[in-house]
Amino acid sequence: MSGGDGVTLLVIAKEPRPGRVKTRLTPAYAPAEAAQLAEAALADTLAVVRDLPARRRVLALDGSPGDWLPPGFDVVPQAAGGLDERLAAAFGGCTGPTLLVGMDTPQLTAELLAPALADDAWSACDAYLGPALDGGFWALGLARPDPELLRGVPMSTARTGAAQHRRLLGAGLRVRELPPLRDVDTPADVPLVADAAPHGRFAATARRLAARDRAAGTRSAPSTAPDTTAVDGPALTGTGPGAAVDDTARARTAPGRAAR
């Protein structure tokens, strides 16, 4: 096997149940609406992963699978502990080159992952890291999925991506970066990510909820203040002051949601 046919594709996700996912989208979105967005983002992600060449496709899931899960995935439960422990355990259950993505980047495409799935992807590279705009990371690929490369890395901060990068370099690995992406953490992220992938289920859900607001006359400008709360689930990204998020662009382009 060569290229993507020899790679395990790993998705880490939380069951999209109201009140358990995307809690940072509330109160601008009701818990049920936040869960709809989370389910749409997960479905878009899994659809892309399903169509990529892979030796194995694994979903490390906190919760139970639903009708959003396409065929072709091995579903394994997430381990207990912090996000670093859960990611470490997910990698520990894989062998050979393994590429991890989360559920918060529904704008994911095959082209974004192509460098890690090429025939020569691992010939001169030991790890791939996809930085997120808020300082975290949206993808991590390891030629040898060693759990110790993740344990103890501080997660859900504005420095998570940099800390993970340092961990990889400190282990003597040759690291290549994938293109940076914005993940869906706050209400202002929703229209920006939807615009980046306008034909997906996430974008359709975001448009439907926005249209409902317009019909009800409940639009308002989203807050652009930095959110210092922790990420509400198995996202791979950072949050808080200092995160590399273009709040000016958010305020300029994001149609708002009314607080509920």
Side-chain angles (χ1 to χ4, degrees):
M1 291 183 293
S2 63
D5 290 335
V7 174
T8 293
L9 296 175
L10 175 61
V11 180
I12 187 163
K14 179 179 285 189
E15 179 187 357
R17 291 171 53 192
R20 295 193 69 246
V21 292
K22 292 293 153 213
T23 56
R24 293 175 64 207
L25 294 184
T26 60
Y29 292 88
E33 294 175 329
Q36 291 173 36
L37 288 166
E39 179 175 328
L42 178 55
D44 283 346
T45 300
L46 294 175
V48 171
V49 173
R50 175 198 59 200
D51 292 339
L52 291 173
R55 181 177 60 156
R56 184 185 178 207
R57 297 173 187 84
V58 179
L59 173 63
L61 182 64
D62 177 3
S64 301
D67 57 10
W68 40 262
L69 177 66
F73 284 82
D74 297 333
V75 180
V76 300
Q78 288 185 27
L83 182 53
D84 63 317
E85 290 290 344
R86 287 180 279 152
L87 293 175
F91 271 106
C94 301
T95 58
T98 300
L99 180 60
L100 168 79
V101 298
M103 62 182 288
D104 293 340
T105 50
Q107 71 273 45
L108 180 71
T109 64
E111 290 73 23
L112 289 167
L113 295 177
L117 300 176
D119 288 344
D120 60 350
W122 304 95
S123 60
C125 179
D126 305 304
Y128 286 87
L129 188 67
L133 295 184
D134 63 0
F137 62 90
W138 63 269
L140 176 63
L142 298 174
R144 299 180 61 185
D146 180 0
E148 294 306 315
L149 292 171
L150 292 111
R151 288 197 176 102
V153 174
M155 297 288 167
S156 302
T157 79
R159 297 168 294 280
T160 293
Q164 185 64 69
H165 200 176
R166 285 194 301 271
R167 175 66 66 85
L168 300 174
L169 294 176
L173 303 186
R174 299 165 296 175
V175 183
R176 291 182 179 175
E177 286 198 356
L178 297 172
L181 287 181
R182 179 185 303 275
D183 67 331
V184 180
D185 273 339
T186 69
D189 293 322
V190 172
L192 298 177
V193 172
D195 286 347
H199 304 299
R201 179 173 166 182
F202 179 84
T205 301
R207 288 193 297 267
R208 174 173 54 80
L209 294 176
R212 181 185 302 174
D213 274 359
R214 287 194 296 271
T218 56
R219 296 183 67 193
S220 65
S223 170
T224 59
D227 188 334
T228 59
T229 58
V231 174
D232 66 280
L236 310 180
T237 57
T239 182
V245 178
D246 183 357
D247 283 329
T248 302
R250 285 180 173 178
R252 182 177 62 249
T253 62
R257 296 276 304 183
R260 295 165 186 261

